[in-house]
Structures are given as C-alpha cells and as structure tokens.
Amino acid sequence: MSSSPSLEILVRDAEGFIVWNGPPFSSNGQPTPKNERVSCSSTKFSLDGSKFMAVKSDGTISIYESASLREVRSFTVANVTATEISPCGTYLQTFQKPTTPQEKNVSLWNTDTGDLAHSLYQKSITKTTWPSIRFSPDESSACRLATNEVQFFDPKNFSKGITSRIRVPGVAAFELSKTPASHVAVFVPEVKGSPGSVQIFGCGKDAESQPSARRSFFRCSSVQFSWNHGSTGLLVVVQSDVDKTNKSYYGETKLHYLTVDGTHEGLVPLRKEGPVHDVQWSFSGSEFAVVYGFMPACVTIFDKKCKPLMELGEGPYNTLRWNPKGRILCVAGFGNLPGDMTFWDVVSKKQLGSNKAEWSVTSEWSPDGRYFLTASTAPRRQIDNGYVKTSCYNIEFGILSASVGHSSSEQIEWIKIFNYDGKRYFKKMFERLYQVEWKPESPDRFDEISELLKSKKPVASIPTIQRPAAYRPPHAKQAAAIQAELLGVNPEGEMSKNALRNKKKREKKKAAEAAAASGSNNA
C-alpha cells in the first residue's frame, strides 16, 4: 500500500513533549525529531490521531493538528483540574472545581471555532465519572451519567439539550459500545440483599425501556466493561473487595459474557482458580484472550460463543496486547512481574519469539503491527540501580501525597521497541520519562503482515486443547475399579505386571495339565 502513513511517537519528559519520526529510524538507528520540544504538563492524542492537546504550565490548553504539529486553537480556563479531547478531536472537555452548586463547572469546547458547545454542573470526578460526557469512537453518539439515568445528546448540536434518556434506578457506571455505537451497558451495584446487575440497552431516540440483555450477580463492588469491535458482545470483569475463600488478599474477580441479542449470558469457563489479570478482544471482534488464575497464570483464547480455541500455557503473565492486524498476540508479565514477553501467531498457532522488558509501565503495538513499544515511566516504585523510592498518589486524581527515598545514582527510565517477533530494535534511556505513545492511525491504512510472517520460522507450537473424555456414570466407574482390583486390569484395559505374571503362570499350569492328561490317555 503506497499511501501508508509514516509512524510517529510522542515522547514527554521533564522538559516537555517532542514527536519522533519512525520507526524505521535513520541509518544511525536513532529517531529524528519532528518538532522543537514544547514545555507542558500533560498531552493526549484524539482517538483517530487527527489532533492532540497539550496542557502547558501556565494553564493554557493548546490543540495541535497532528500532521503538521501546528497549533490550531488555545483555551485559557481558570482552575482546571481535568481535561479530555473527544475521539475525533472535535471537542475539548474541561473540569473546574465548583464554588457553588449553581456553577456549571464542566465545559465542552469546539476545537475548530473555540465556542462553548455545552456546560453542566458536576460535584466531583472519579475514574468512573470522568469524562462527564462520553463519545462513541466515531462521535456518532454522546451521553452522560446522571442520577438514575443515562442521558443522550446530539453530538453535532448540543444546543438541542437532552434528546433521549434511559431510566436505570441505581446506575453507577456505564460504557458505550464501539462502532457502531448501537448499545450502552450499565452497572447497578447490589443494595440491601438485592443482587447487582449489568444490563444492555439500545441507544438513540427509540431507545428501549427494557434491556436487551441482563446478567445479575452477588458480591460485586465494581465492574470493568470491554466491548468487542462490531458491538455484538460485552465482557464484564466483576470485582469483589472480599474473597470468601480467603485465597486472595485483593478480593475476587469473575468474568461474564453477554451478547446484545441476549442469546448468551453467563460466566466464561476458566479452568483455573484465581483473579482475572487481563482480558482483550482481538481487532476482528471474533475472539478474545484471557490471562487468569493464581501464578503461574493461564492464557486461553475463546471464540464469540465462549468456547476455548487454544491454550497458550502458563507463566508469570498479567498483560495481553493484540496486534492491530489481529493475528499476533503478545503475552507479557509487567508491573511487579519479571517482564517476560512471548509473541504468538494465533493463525498458524506458532510462537514467533520471546524477550524481556523489566519494569515496564506502558506497552503498545504500533498501528502497522510491526513494532511493539514498552516504556518505564514515572511515577513508579524504584528498586533498581541502587535507587529506592516510594511515591504515594491519590488514585482518583493522580495528586502526589508523599514521597520518600534515597539514591546512590540517578533515576533511570527507558523506551524499548521490539520487532513483531520479540527481537529488540531500539532502546533509549531517560533521567525522567512521563509519557510515550504511538500517534494513532487506522490499521487499514497499512499493508498486511501475512507475507512478513511467512518467512519467519516459529520457535514453538501452540499446544492443542485435549478433548474431554466421554462421560462415564458413577456405577460404571465403580465396576471398572472392582474389575481392576480382582483381575489386575485398569479401566483402559491394560494389565498390570503382577496380573500379567500370574496369567502366564496359569497358562503354563494349564499347558502342563493338558500334557499330563494327553500322556495318560496314550498309555
């Protein structure tokens, strides 16, 4: 595909952000900067990669055009504590600490005109409630969570106000489906002995008052939603703060699966006890991978009917990353694990390679599916290079509460880039690194990697799933055990050594008796 765009990487360190060209990098193996470094405190791309925002130290919020890195708009909003750019870069959303209940402290700005498109009041924000207004990936739908309901807006004209709403008493969280934005999932926690539930509703003006799918459960304090591409299935990780089996200090997790048409609602059949570490849909939306269980964790790939397709074995894993082209899966163990990475071609069922990336905080495939990026970024707990530092952060807002440490050397962070088969391609060290990410691009704009994989020799094969044995009723099992005890034959029909020895003795005795009898007859 001759029109394939070039890859770009945004890097933000203590001095600000810069954008790298590539990979592939120049002949000296080093990236070339696309712009002069710009001082800022945070940055974020829009989901489609057309724009990105940068919050500068003076409080100014700048919107840049990603292709040219030209600043197209800037906003100055006093006392801003949170910002968000919409998936297509059309809107900038800001949150200010409210001083009175009448003050509308959430503002939605049009990034092209700079006009205020909508505003509303919100007392506070958490990870569950921010951003206040959620958009579908193509910005065809917009909605927000209110008391006992989900409210919908016209993304092209917010002056219309609320265009429709779905009443759900006690709703605490929601998630719009991916493209097409046809459905919304809501979570209602358990209250006074009543079970919690996840429900799926249709979106739009003709939104149904009754859910198209519903799943109820007890012992649920929070959930994580994961829609597939195509908006036909929803995976729900249900978290409980308390594990009644006392096997885990961190509580209990269960993985549920629902389809929007209600044909499937139930638990995903996991073959090992323990937490669900990660679950990821492939980009085709036809299968998903789960890493689960007490260490060493298991990795299983399921189809859309929750039937296991293949097992990837066990290991110190807690992270899954699907290649944008769909056929390569990286299974890794980051965070407090050693950093092992294994790369699998799930189409040919072969292992392409493996490597390590210790202390990785972030990991992401390039849009073309040829490179895998990992990085060790701040803040994190340092125990390497003679440096020990513990930083305490407010989970909801990311505010540093306390920091204690001592150092015998400088704190070091890094960026590592690997090829699709796990071979390291690039490494760069930083004294302080805050953020690194690929510029988003549609994977459809890049060539397929199937030809690339044909020349790659696999290092291992995916083990096949053993088919379960035929069902045998209890009385048949007991009869087989009695037979084995009396005759020395196991249930599979094989004889033990003692039984075989006794059988030979009996045969010899019969042969001797037969010979003696024939001799007496001749006499």
Side-chain angles (χ1 to χ4, degrees), residues 80-260:
V80 170
T81 58
T83 58
E84 182 74 14
I85 190 169
S86 63
C88 297
T90 308
Y91 297 103
L92 169 69
Q93 192 170 171
T94 60
F95 175 85
Q96 302 163 273
K97 289 184 178 180
T99 55
T100 63
Q102 292 76 27
E103 180 185 2
K104 294 182 177 180
N105 59 323
V106 175
S107 302
L108 195 67
W109 309 88
N110 189 303
T111 58
D112 292 327
T113 63
D115 297 333
L116 179 65
H118 188 68
S119 61
L120 55 93
Y121 168 77
Q122 185 166 326
K123 183 178 180 180
S124 60
I125 59 172
T126 64
K127 285 187 175 181
T128 305
T129 61
W130 180 256
S132 300
I133 299 176
R134 310 282 180 89
F135 293 87
S136 61
D138 58 358
E139 291 190 8
S140 62
S141 182
C143 57
R144 70 177 289 259
L145 180 65
T147 304
N148 296 327
E149 65 181 21
V150 178
Q151 301 171 349
F152 290 83
F153 303 88
D154 181 354
K156 296 181 180 180
N157 188 0
F158 277 88
S159 63
K160 294 180 180 179
I162 301 171
T163 57
S164 63
R165 65 187 77 208
I166 299 175
R167 291 283 300 176
V168 186
V171 60
F174 76 105
E175 185 78 21
L176 267 173
S177 63
K178 299 182 184 292
T179 304
S182 54
H183 294 80
V184 61
V186 300
F187 167 61
V188 179
E190 57 180 321
V191 179
K192 297 180 180 178
S194 299
S197 66
V198 168
Q199 305 171 49
I200 298 178
F201 292 87
C203 297
K205 293 182 179 180
D206 300 325
E208 301 175 0
S209 58
Q210 296 298 321
S212 60
R214 179 189 178 103
R215 178 72 176 169
S216 300
F217 28 69
F218 286 99
R219 300 202 311 271
C220 57
S221 54
S222 62
V223 297
Q224 298 176 25
F225 294 119
S226 180
W227 283 99
N228 72 333
H229 296 264
S231 304
T232 59
L234 173 70
L235 289 167
V236 185
V237 180
V238 178
Q239 174 75 38
S240 173
D241 293 335
V242 178
D243 181 7
K244 288 195 172 183
T245 64
N246 292 324
K247 293 182 179 180
S248 174
Y249 173 80
Y250 299 100
E252 180 184 18
T253 55
K254 297 290 184 182
L255 181 60
H256 299 257
Y257 177 60
L258 299 86
T259 55
V260 296

Side-chain angles (χ1 to χ4, degrees), residues 328 343 352-355 365 370 418-423 456:
I328 302 178
F343 296 82
L352 301 175
S354 61
N355 212 319
W365 281 99
R370 286 168 167 75
F418 301 85
N419 288 318
Y420 65 93
D421 58 359
K423 292 182 180 178
K456 176 63 182 177

Side-chain angles (χ1 to χ4, degrees), residues 270-274 277 290-300 310-318 320 331-333 337 340-342 344 351 461-463:
L270 305 180
R271 62 183 180 88
K272 187 176 184 180
E273 290 186 348
H277 304 287
V290 189
V291 55
Y292 60 94
F294 297 111
M295 292 295 166
C298 295
V299 182
T300 306
M310 59 191 74
E311 301 281 353
L312 301 185
E314 299 184 354
Y317 304 129
N318 62 1
L320 299 169
V331 182
L337 295 180
D340 296 272
M341 300 184 300
T342 307
W344 294 91
Q351 181 181 327
S461 299
I462 295 178

Side-chain angles (χ1 to χ4, degrees), residues 50-69:
S50 61
K51 297 177 182 178
F52 74 92
M53 69 172 185
V55 181
K56 299 180 179 178
S57 56
D58 60 358
T60 302
I61 307 166
S62 296
I63 305 297
Y64 291 85
E65 186 183 74
S66 298
S68 62
L69 293 182

